[in-house]
Amino acid sequence: NLTDAFAEKGYPPIKMGIGLNSGKMSVGNMGSEFRLAYTVMGDAVNLGSRLEGLTKQYGVDVIVSEFTKEMADAYFYKELDMVRVKGKLEPITIYEPICLRDDISDRLRQEDTLLNNALKSFRQQDWELAIIQFEQLRSEYQDHLLYRMYLERITQYQQDSPGDDWDGVFTHQSK
């Protein structure tokens, strides 16, 4: 693997984020007779690019859209968030692919159940219960950036309520 080969040579590790989305797009040679480039274009491509930009914020290497998740159902996914990305009005649910569905451990299933309950409490604005659940996730499983991010959001929402009509969606302002 490339990371090991780099480590042997004393090179820094390769760290990159990947955003995956599925949908209609234009693929092929685009441009004019003077400047021709093989590329992909379309809303589905733009969303994939936006998802790649979110990987650092969620502390994951790969983020997939709900559309990709539906098409690749042999995998087990961790739900990360419901988001609106810059340039889009419709929210989407984003996920981290974890493993093949057949390879999921009991411990991972338990973590996923607790995470889904914590997300439900969060979206219902039951801040106290959500805090307990996200703290439990941090202490029993791992101190993941995702869990700390939700605890920070809860603190912000306790000070400045998102309102009774809040749909549970986080709107990202940057690309």
Side-chain angles (χ1 to χ4, degrees):
N1 110 10
L2 192 57
T3 303
D4 294 339
F6 273 31
E8 287 176 15
K9 293 181 180 184
Y11 296 164
I14 296 175
K15 190 79 172 144
M16 65 179 167
I18 299 169
L20 297 173
N21 184 42
S22 301
K24 293 184 179 185
M25 60 191 76
S26 297
V27 180
N29 287 317
M30 313 271 178
S32 68
E33 63 181 286
F34 300 108
R35 182 157 193 256
L36 196 61
Y38 190 83
T39 190
V40 291
M41 296 172 54
D43 282 345
V45 177
N46 294 341
L47 179 54
S49 176
R50 298 288 191 263
L51 297 181
E52 179 273 326
L54 296 179
T55 56
K56 286 182 186 175
Q57 293 178 41
Y58 288 89
V60 298
D61 295 327
V62 180
I63 292 179
V64 303
S65 70
E66 61 192 51
F67 312 112
T68 298
K69 178 183 177 279
E70 287 174 19
M71 296 179 79
D73 62 355
Y75 292 90
F76 171 77
Y77 300 88
K78 176 192 287 188
E79 182 177 338
L80 299 174
D81 209 351
M82 290 176 18
V83 299
R84 278 186 197 87
V85 296
K86 189 167 178 72
K88 292 285 185 194
L89 295 176
E90 287 298 312
I92 63 158
T93 305
I94 58 173
Y95 300 88
E96 176 188 20
I98 302 296
C99 61
L100 287 170
R101 189 169 293 286
D102 294 341
D103 296 340
I104 186 171
S105 67
D106 289 339
R107 181 168 170 76
L108 191 53
R109 253 186 247 287
Q110 293 166 351
E111 181 181 5
D112 189 58
T113 298
L114 183 54
L115 174 59
N116 289 330
N117 290 335
L119 290 171
K120 182 178 179 184
S121 299
F122 175 81
R123 291 174 184 144
Q124 292 174 345
Q125 299 186 46
D126 188 345
W127 308 132
E128 288 75 24
L129 181 56
I131 288 170
I132 292 167
Q133 292 165 324
F134 281 113
E135 287 291 358
Q136 183 180 355
L137 284 161
R138 286 181 64 198
S139 66
E140 289 184 24
Y141 296 97
Q142 60 180 339
D143 187 18
H144 195 285
L145 176 63
L146 177 70
Y147 306 145
R148 283 182 270 136
M149 179 199 71
Y150 274 104
L151 289 166
E152 288 173 14
R153 282 188 195 171
I154 291 168
T155 299
Q156 290 173 333
Y157 289 154
Q158 285 175 319
Q159 295 171 1
D160 187 18
S161 173
D164 293 338
D165 61 343
W166 180 56
D167 58 5
V169 176
F170 187 80
T171 302
H172 287 277
Q173 301 297 334
S174 63
K175 294 184 180 181

